[in-house]
C-alpha cells in the first residue's frame, strides 16, 4: 500500500514538474511574441518615417522642378524680348554701325532690280540717308514683279561684306502697306573719285561727269568680262579717267542686259570720248560702279 502511495506521489510530482516546464515555455513564447510585435511596430514606424522622408524628398524634387520651369520661362521671356528688340527698324547710321554677321532690319525703297533666280532677288535700294545692296533675298516671282522703283519695303537679314561691298544677305522682306514712295536723284560724286569719302556713297545712285574713255586693251574701248574672256551678253568693262587717274566701270549684264540702251552705248564708245555716266556705286576691291546710263559730256 505504501509502495502504491509512493508511486502515486512520484507520479504526481512528475506531473507537476511537467506542468511547470510547460508554463515556463508558454511564458517564453509570450515574451518572444511580444518582442516580435514590438519589433514589428518599430519596423512599421521606421517604414513610415522612410516613406515620409521619401515624400519630403519628392516634394523637394517637385519644388526644384517648378523652380527650373520658372527659370526656363524667365529665360524664354528674356530671349523673346531680345528677339523683339532685334526686329526694330534701324536708321541708315545704325545699319552702317552694326557688326558684320548681325541681324539688321531696314525700311528702304526699291531703286533697281538686278536679278531674280529660283525665288531669290537681288536689288539696289535706297532711302533718304543711304543705299543698301540686298543680295539673294527670298522673293516669289509674283512679288518680284511688284518691286517697281520707289516701292517701300521692310527688309530683315544679316549684314555681310564681300571684297569691300557691304550688303544685306539671307534676307526676307514685306511690302510696307500704305508707305510713301521714293526714287533717288543721282548724286554727283565725281569730286570724290580717288578719295576716302567716296565709300560713304556706296550702293547709292550716283553720277560721274566729264570723264575720258581710255583703252581697255590694245585699241578696244571695252571688254566682255574683266579679262576679255566673254562674249555678247556678258558684262561690259571699260576704263575712264579723271585728273590722270584711271578707273574701271562696268555694265552689269543682269542689271542692264545686251538689249539695254547703256549696253549699246558702251559698245559704241571710242577711246578719248568725254562722257557723263549714272549708275549704282558698287564696290569690288575698290570702286566698281554698275553703270546704267552713258551720254556725251555736257
Amino acid at each position: 500500500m505504501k509502495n502504491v502511495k509512493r508511486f502515486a506521489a512520484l507520479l504526481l510530482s512528475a506531473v507537476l514538474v511537467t506542468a511547470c516546464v510547460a508554463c515556463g515555455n508558454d511564458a517564453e513564447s509570450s515574451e518572444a511574441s511580444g518582442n516580435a510585435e514590438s519589433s514589428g511596430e518599430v519596423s512599421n514606424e521606421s517604414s513610415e518615417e522612410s516613406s515620409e522622408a521619401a515624400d519630403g524628398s519628392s516634394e523637394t524634387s517637385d519644388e526644384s522642378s517648378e523652380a527650373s520651369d520658372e527659370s526656363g520661362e524667365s529665360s524664354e521671356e528674356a530671349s523673346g524680348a531680345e528677339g523683339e528688340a532685334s526686329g526694330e527698324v534701324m536708321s541708315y547710321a545704325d545699319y552702317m554701325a552694326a557688326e558684320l554677321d548681325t541681324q539688321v532690319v531696314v525700311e528702304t525703297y526699291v531703286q533697281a532690280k538686278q536679278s531674280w533666280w529660283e525665288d531669290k532677288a537681288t536689288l539696289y535700294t535706297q532711302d533718304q540717308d543711304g543705299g543698301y545692296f540686298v543680295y539673294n533675298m527670298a522673293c516669289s516671282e509674283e512679288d518680284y514683279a511688284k518691286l517697281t522703283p520707289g516701292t517701300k519695303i521692310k527688309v530683315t537679314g544679316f549684314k555681310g561684306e564681300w571684297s569691300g561691298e557691304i550688303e544685306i544677305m539671307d534676307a526676307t522682306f514685306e511690302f510696307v502697306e500704305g508707305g510713301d514712295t521714293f526714287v533717288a536723284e543721282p548724286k554727283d560724286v565725281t569730286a570724290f573719285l580717288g578719295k576716302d569719302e567716296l565709300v560713304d556713297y556706296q550702293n547709292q545712285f550716283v553720277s560721274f561727269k566729264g570723264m575720258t574713255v581710255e583703252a581697255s586693251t590694245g585699241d578696244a574701248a571695252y571688254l566682255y568680262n574683266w579679262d576679255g574672256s566673254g562674249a555678247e551678253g556678258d558684262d561690259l568693262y571699260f576704263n575712264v579717267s579723271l585728273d590722270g587717274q584711271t578707273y574701271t566701270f562696268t555694265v552689269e549684264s543682269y542689271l542692264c542686259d545686251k538689249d539695254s540702251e547703256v549696253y549699246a552705248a558702251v559698245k559704241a564708245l571710242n577711246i578719248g570720248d568725254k562722257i557723263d555716266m549714272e549708275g549704282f556705286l558698287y564696290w569690288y576691291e575698290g570702286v566698281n560702279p554698275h553703270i546704267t546710263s552713258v551720254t556725251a559730256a555736257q
Side-chain angles (χ1 to χ4, degrees):
M1 186 63 131
K2 284 185 179 178
N3 289 336
V4 173
K5 290 182 179 179
R6 182 177 292 178
F7 177 78
L10 289 173
L11 181 60
L12 181 60
S13 297
V15 171
L16 291 173
V17 169
T18 302
C20 289
V21 170
C23 288
N25 288 340
D26 289 342
E28 289 177 359
S29 297
S30 178
E31 287 179 7
S33 176
N35 290 337
E37 290 175 1
S38 176
S39 175
E41 291 174 359
V42 171
S43 176
N44 289 338
E45 290 175 359
S46 297
S47 177
E48 291 174 359
E49 290 174 358
S50 297
S51 178
E52 290 175 359
D55 291 342
S57 175
S58 177
E59 290 175 0
T60 302
S61 176
D62 290 342
E63 291 174 358
S64 298
S65 178
E66 291 175 1
S68 177
D69 290 343
E70 290 175 359
S71 175
E73 290 174 0
S74 298
S75 177
E76 289 175 0
E77 290 174 359
S79 176
E82 290 177 1
E84 292 175 2
S86 66
E88 294 179 358
V89 175
M90 309 169 76
S91 68
Y92 178 74
D94 288 340
Y95 164 75
M96 290 303 296
E99 296 290 333
L100 293 176
D101 300 321
T102 58
Q103 187 183 66
V104 291
V105 182
V106 299
E107 287 188 351
T108 181
Y109 303 83
V110 177
Q111 302 300 305
K113 299 187 290 188
Q114 179 164 300
S115 64
W116 179 88
W117 181 254
E118 294 184 344
D119 289 334
K120 297 290 180 67
T122 296
L123 312 172
Y124 277 103
T125 74
Q126 190 169 332
D127 61 23
Q128 290 81 354
D129 298 316
Y132 309 87
F133 187 65
V134 184
Y135 181 74
N136 273 3
M137 176 183 72
C139 178
S140 68
E141 188 172 13
E142 180 182 4
D143 281 343
Y144 187 69
K146 300 175 184 177
L147 293 172
T148 55
T151 302
K152 188 174 186 179
I153 57 175
K154 179 180 178 181
V155 178
T156 301
F158 292 87
K159 184 179 178 181
E161 184 268 341
W162 186 69
S163 297
E165 170 67 15
I166 303 299
E167 56 195 20
I168 300 177
M169 305 172 62
D170 299 326
T172 58
F173 85 101
E174 57 189 85
F175 293 98
V176 177
E177 298 296 334
D180 57 342
T181 60
F182 172 71
V183 176
E185 293 294 325
K187 171 71 176 179
D188 187 350
V189 295
T190 310
F192 297 117
L193 280 168
K195 298 179 181 179
D196 293 341
E197 293 93 330
L198 184 61
V199 75
D200 295 338
Y201 300 93
Q202 184 176 150
N203 296 322
Q204 292 188 38
F205 189 50
V206 298
S207 64
F208 303 91
K209 306 288 188 182
M211 302 193 71
T212 302
V213 177
E214 302 290 344
S216 291
T217 183
D219 58 356
Y222 65 90
L223 297 174
Y224 292 112
N225 290 339
W226 66 273
D227 58 355
S229 63
E232 178 76 4
D234 291 326
D235 298 346
L236 295 180
Y237 283 75
F238 62 104
N239 292 336
V240 291
S241 65
L242 181 72
D243 299 331
Q245 295 294 319
T246 299
Y247 308 91
T248 299
F249 288 9
T250 304
V251 176
E252 213 285 336
S253 59
Y254 288 131
L255 182 62
C256 299
D257 65 20
K258 64 182 181 60
D259 296 323
S260 64
E261 291 183 5
V262 67
Y263 202 95
V266 169
K267 288 177 60 179
L269 291 176
N270 296 300
I271 296 170
D273 286 348
K274 295 280 188 180
I275 57 175
D276 294 339
M277 293 163 287
E278 294 177 353
F280 294 97
L281 195 60
Y282 189 76
W283 216 261
Y284 178 77
E285 304 295 344
V287 60
N288 180 218
H290 286 176
I291 297 303
T292 60
S293 172
V294 172
T295 56
Q298 300 299 312

